[in-house]
Amino acid sequence: MHQQANHEMNDEFAAGPVYEGNTDIMTMDINEASRYLFGQVNWQEYIRAGVFLSQNEYQLLERTQDNIDFAMSNASTSKAFANILMRLADKCTSNTPTQQFVFTKIEQILGVDNVAVNVKHRAPLFTFDGTNLQDGPFLRAIRSNDFYTKRAASVGLATLLTVCDGEVNSLISWICEQLSSPMDNAAEVAIPALTILLRRESARQMYADRHGINILVQILAKLGPNGNGQQIYDICFCLWTLSLGNNADLASFLASGSIRYMVDLLAAAPSRKVVRMVASTLRNLSTLENEDVLTEMLTGPLQKLLEHMLAANAHKQAGDPELEQDVRSLYDTLMKNFRDLSTYDRWVSEVHTGALRWGIVHTEKFWRENAKFVENNDFKLLKMLIALLRSEDETIVCIALYDLGEFTRFYPNGRGVVKSLGGKDLAMDMIASLNGEIQRQALQCVSKIMVTNWEFMK
């Protein structure tokens, strides 16, 4: 009841001064933003209310505007300072400038922009017992309607969760929601927190389990090589952290088409730091020597691209020995596992990874020569191809429809096989697609399934 009363009292005066928006704050460094936001809060209202803030506490906040190290100088002062911030974060939820100021200040304390700060030493200030995080105010703030508050609170929470126990799952759920949202800037608000949170090893698997790799690759595909450079780098950094260790989720890396997109980025070379991050990620994946991963790498232009990079000596000219080591290690691994891939091997690789792309393995000639091989292992590959009709990638759906129709044409009793596996029904559903190309491919596929002499119909 007391907490409810506090919130009601807060609502009576929390509006504070008229706030013009946070466009300018996003361009400020953290110290500048802190000083600006301090001036936007109606502190005297809080002091007069006598509930959230005393005069002495206000003076402590004021003194830290020019020197936050003052508040961190001893254990009692630093704990008192953190308690003030957490109380304001918890009680003054309807005042946007206050929330913005509080979480900016927490970022300062944790040294988000200051590598000299030891997070482990300061994180206990925001816990109940030195270990378990007081994360309620953060979790409420990331659900606010204010972009800046969400970004600052999520970054602060992610930083704390790298060294403290808390609601990692809740933050990951929010990040996935933001990254999957069609709203403008939704991904932009969540990616900074994700780059920090994935430094926690246990968080990587939790994120991957929520189809996180696929979500990142979809954003990467939308951005393209010429998209926002910082976002591309941040996403590549996230993929790199997810590629670390022997437990990397290779199935997700393959199914999402991540390798193809990273090779495209390596070829486009939008910036040196992106090239370095992509090369390191591909190297990590290759060292696990998974057959499907290596086949996917050998199927595309990666081998020739690496040969060109090594011949050009660009990494040596740039004085980048780490990039040189990654490129050479990746190339050596591919050469050690090199084999001439038949066109059928390439088709198998695409189906296994789910990364279908138009080319010589999706032609009439290919299916005339290879349809008979698809019967192996009780039509396992055909079942996987049919499953790809449910892909969210429209190009993959189109190619799967084409392949299904061609299999039907060239495999004896292909029509009966496809019908028995549910391929016909799924293809018929696609005829109602709003996408014109999917609709066209679905009509052709269904026609091939239902018509005996397709050549005559053509």
Side-chain angles (χ1 to χ4, degrees):
M1 289 296 291
H2 180 65
Q3 183 173 347
Q4 182 180 356
N6 284 346
H7 278 292
E8 289 173 353
M9 186 184 302
N10 177 46
D11 289 339
E12 292 178 5
F13 66 83
V18 176
Y19 189 59
E20 298 297 334
N22 55 23
T23 303
D24 291 336
I25 310 177
M26 299 304 297
T27 65
M28 298 177 185
D29 67 38
I30 197 167
N31 297 319
E32 205 178 354
S34 174
R35 285 191 292 269
Y36 173 77
L37 289 168
F38 183 79
Q40 296 297 309
V41 179
N42 194 336
W43 297 111
Q44 294 307 312
E45 290 282 4
Y46 290 135
I47 294 171
R48 281 196 294 271
V51 177
F52 307 118
L53 193 69
S54 69
Q55 182 66 38
N56 288 339
E57 289 172 332
Y58 167 74
Q59 290 173 351
L60 176 58
L61 291 178
E62 187 177 38
R63 189 166 181 180
T64 62
Q65 290 314 296
D66 295 320
N67 183 16
I68 196 169
D69 290 336
F70 166 75
M72 299 290 105
S73 59
N74 62 70
S76 60
T77 305
S78 60
K79 185 58 180 174
F81 184 44
N83 286 344
I84 296 168
L85 295 175
M86 291 303 287
R87 186 192 318 136
L88 292 170
D90 188 39
K91 306 299 183 185
C92 305
T93 56
S94 61
N95 188 311
T96 298
T98 303
Q99 292 284 298
Q100 292 175 332
F101 169 77
V102 164
F103 290 109
T104 299
K105 216 65 187 171
I106 291 173
E107 283 188 274
Q108 273 189 303
I109 293 173
L110 297 176
V112 171
D113 283 359
N114 185 356
V115 294
V117 172
N118 190 322
V119 177
K120 285 186 177 181
H121 290 165
R122 293 186 176 181
L125 296 172
F126 302 97
T127 65
F128 293 107
D129 53 8
T131 303
N132 293 291
L133 189 59
Q134 189 180 346
D135 46 21
F138 293 92
L139 294 173
R140 279 195 296 274
I142 63 176
R143 297 287 179 184
S144 77
N145 294 322
D146 178 66
F147 180 92
Y148 183 91
T149 300
K150 288 193 288 190
R151 189 212 60 80
S154 62
V155 166
L157 179 56
T159 304
L160 289 165
L161 287 172
T162 61
V163 294
C164 296
D165 294 329
E167 290 290 333
V168 179
N169 249 323
S170 296
L171 181 57
I172 289 177
S173 294
W174 176 80
I175 288 172
C176 289
E177 288 172 19
Q178 297 299 307
L179 297 182
S180 303
S181 171
M183 298 288 289
D184 290 341
N185 297 327
E188 187 180 342
V189 75
I191 288 174
L194 183 62
T195 61
I196 295 170
L197 184 63
L198 291 180
R199 296 169 189 172
R200 178 175 176 141
E201 186 175 355
S202 62
R204 295 173 203 153
Q205 189 60 53
M206 294 165 68
Y207 176 73
D209 288 343
R210 291 177 176 266
H211 309 290
I213 293 173
N214 187 57
I215 293 172
L216 288 174
V217 172
Q218 287 179 2
I219 298 173
L220 204 57
K222 290 178 183 177
L223 288 171
N226 298 317
N228 183 294
Q230 187 59 46
Q231 279 195 27
I232 291 173
Y233 173 77
D234 287 342
I235 291 171
C236 289
F237 175 83
C238 291
L239 291 172
W240 173 76
T241 64
L242 292 161
S243 74
L244 296 171
N246 295 325
N247 297 319
D249 189 352
L250 297 182
S252 292
F253 272 101
L254 287 166
S256 65
S258 64
I259 292 173
R260 172 163 47 103
Y261 285 113
M262 284 191 284
V263 172
D264 289 346
L265 278 176
L266 201 61
S271 69
R272 187 176 299 158
K273 65 180 184 178
V274 168
V275 169
R276 185 187 301 116
M277 196 56 64
V278 167
S280 185
T281 304
L282 291 172
R283 180 203 179 195
N284 290 343
L285 295 174
S286 72
T287 56
L288 299 176
E289 300 199 7
N290 175 277
E291 184 176 349
D292 290 334
V293 169
L294 294 172
T295 299
E296 174 72 359
M297 291 181 178
L298 288 166
T299 298
L302 179 58
Q303 177 191 339
K304 291 183 179 179
L305 183 58
L306 295 173
E307 289 174 352
H308 175 74
M309 292 176 70
L310 290 169
N313 285 326
H315 40 269
K316 288 185 177 179
Q317 295 172 19
D320 196 338
E322 288 186 7
L323 176 59
E324 179 184 6
Q325 182 180 357
D326 286 336
V327 170
R328 188 163 295 283
S329 174
L330 176 57
Y331 181 75
D332 290 345
T333 300
L334 292 183
M335 289 302 93
K336 186 174 73 172
N337 292 275
F338 178 80
R339 60 190 184 282
D340 286 323
L341 296 173
S342 68
T343 53
Y344 183 69
D345 289 331
R346 295 186 180 193
W347 181 80
V348 171
S349 173
E350 286 193 19
V351 174
H352 272 296
T353 62
L356 306 184
R357 49 195 178 274
W358 291 113
I360 61 172
V361 299
H362 307 289
T363 61
E364 179 179 313
K365 179 179 183 295
F366 170 83
W367 280 104
R368 192 184 298 277
E369 296 172 354
N370 293 285
K372 59 183 178 291
F373 299 123
V374 180
E375 67 184 13
N376 296 336
N377 297 318
D378 192 27
F379 295 98
K380 178 182 177 181
L381 287 166
L382 184 62
K383 294 172 184 175
M384 294 174 69
L385 180 67
I386 291 172
L388 290 176
L389 294 178
R390 296 188 174 90
S391 171
E392 295 181 2
D393 187 307
E394 294 171 346
T395 300
I396 290 175
V397 173
C398 288
I399 297 173
L401 285 165
Y402 175 84
D403 283 0
L404 194 61
E406 292 299 272
F407 168 82
T408 303
R409 287 178 62 199
F410 294 111
Y411 185 81
N413 194 30
R415 290 186 296 164
V417 174
V418 169
K419 287 178 183 177
S420 68
L421 295 176
K424 176 188 172 184
D425 292 338
L426 276 175
M428 289 187 71
D429 290 342
M430 298 294 171
I431 294 175
S433 172
L434 297 177
N435 180 284
E437 183 60 19
I438 290 179
Q439 189 180 82
R440 185 179 74 82
Q441 292 290 348
L443 281 167
Q444 289 194 359
C445 178
V446 171
S447 298
K448 293 171 186 176
I449 295 171
M450 298 181 71
V451 177
T452 303
N453 193 338
W454 171 252
E455 294 296 332
F456 175 76
M457 291 296 294
K458 285 206 298 182

